[in-house]
Amino acid sequence: MRILVVEDEPRLLRSLAKALREEGYAVDTAEAGDDGWFKASTYDYDAIVLDIMLPGLNGWELLERLRQRKQTPVLLLTARDATPDRVRGLDLGADDYLVKPFDLSELLARLRAVIRRAVGRASSLIEVRDVIIDTRARSVMRAGRAVALTAREYAILEYLVLHRGEVVTRTALYEHLFDETDDTLSNLLDVHVFNIRKKLGADLVVTRRGQGYCVEH
Ligand code: CA
């Protein structure tokens, strides 16, 4: 999952990016509304964490422009606890909001929820044959036993499983799982898929030649 965080307070931005990366997300950042809009309109993020009060384009304006083109889930951050602001955000198409200061664990939970809703899932547990993926705990069980995946392997598996039944192209996987700070060595997709198959069964992730990967229904 690749997340864009648009926030002009450098310390908050850094700590959010760090926490999200520790959760296994790929994270891009923007400190101003214009840069945020450029990235949001250029890349296909799985969710955007968007501050309201920003230099340049503000959060409302960015959201309004975005909704004319994309349905990327948006979690608004607002320093104001005023109801009209929250109503305005939801009316403009925000999926959820958090009032600063917020708990990191709450932000992570709400982010997971907006991403799940965007792909039409209510539960954090996903079952594929004898494999159970817990997207809240970021853990995987196979035939009742815990299986240890690396952060990358987990991220790839989770993305494919959330888009179960669809063929996910290699390009889409790169775009959703690797961020602007990644080096090429971490991008060895085939190696990660090979390891996922070794740990969870050869037929869990199917290769569609020339198209991409698929977890079938
Ligand atoms: Ca701000």
Side-chain angles (χ1 to χ4, degrees), residues 94-113:
D95 298 84
D96 203 353
Y97 62 86
L98 268 176
V99 177
K100 291 179 184 175
F102 51 81
D103 234 42
L104 189 60
S105 59
E106 187 175 3
L107 178 127
L108 294 172
R110 286 177 185 270
L111 199 55
R112 286 191 296 268

Side-chain angles (χ1 to χ4, degrees), residues 143-212:
R145 292 173 58 186
V147 178
L149 297 187
T150 65
R152 280 288 185 234
E153 290 160 10
Y154 177 83
I156 292 166
L157 178 67
E158 184 192 66
Y159 192 84
L160 290 172
V161 162
L162 284 173
H163 295 84
R164 193 173 177 182
E166 299 170 28
V167 177
V168 178
T169 65
R170 296 174 62 87
T171 312
L173 277 177
Y174 280 117
E175 184 162 331
H176 287 276
L177 301 179
F178 304 116
D179 62 37
E180 53 197 7
T181 67
D182 274 304
D183 56 41
T184 46
L185 274 181
S186 62
N187 293 0
L188 299 168
L189 201 50
D190 296 314
V191 175
H192 296 311
V193 172
F194 175 83
N195 288 330
I196 292 170
R197 287 176 176 147
K198 207 165 64 181
K199 292 174 181 179
L200 296 172
D203 55 352
L204 182 68
V205 177
V206 177
T207 301
R208 295 284 176 80
R209 199 167 280 278
Q211 298 180 63

Side-chain angles (χ1 to χ4, degrees), residues 7-9 51 53-54 100:
E7 166 61 66
D8 63 323
E9 292 167 42
D51 188 29
M53 303 308 285
L54 293 164
K100 291 179 184 175

Side-chain angles (χ1 to χ4, degrees), residues 7-58:
E7 166 61 66
D8 63 323
E9 292 167 42
R11 279 182 60 189
L12 180 57
L13 181 61
R14 268 199 308 276
S15 70
L16 279 178
K18 182 168 176 282
L20 290 169
R21 287 197 182 104
E22 282 169 6
E23 286 292 303
Y25 293 106
V27 184
D28 289 351
T29 58
E31 287 189 28
D34 299 79
D35 187 33
W37 164 242
F38 171 76
K39 287 178 177 169
S41 55
T42 306
Y43 305 107
D44 209 3
Y45 292 102
D46 296 289
I48 300 173
V49 177
L50 178 62
D51 188 29
I52 301 285
M53 303 308 285
L54 293 164
L57 206 65
N58 68 34

Side-chain angles (χ1 to χ4, degrees), residues 22 40 59 68 70 72 86 89 112 119-120 127 152 182 187 212:
E22 282 169 6
Q68 290 167 15
K70 289 185 177 189
T72 314
R86 298 201 296 258
R112 286 191 296 268
V119 292
E127 218 172 321
R152 280 288 185 234
D182 274 304
N187 293 0

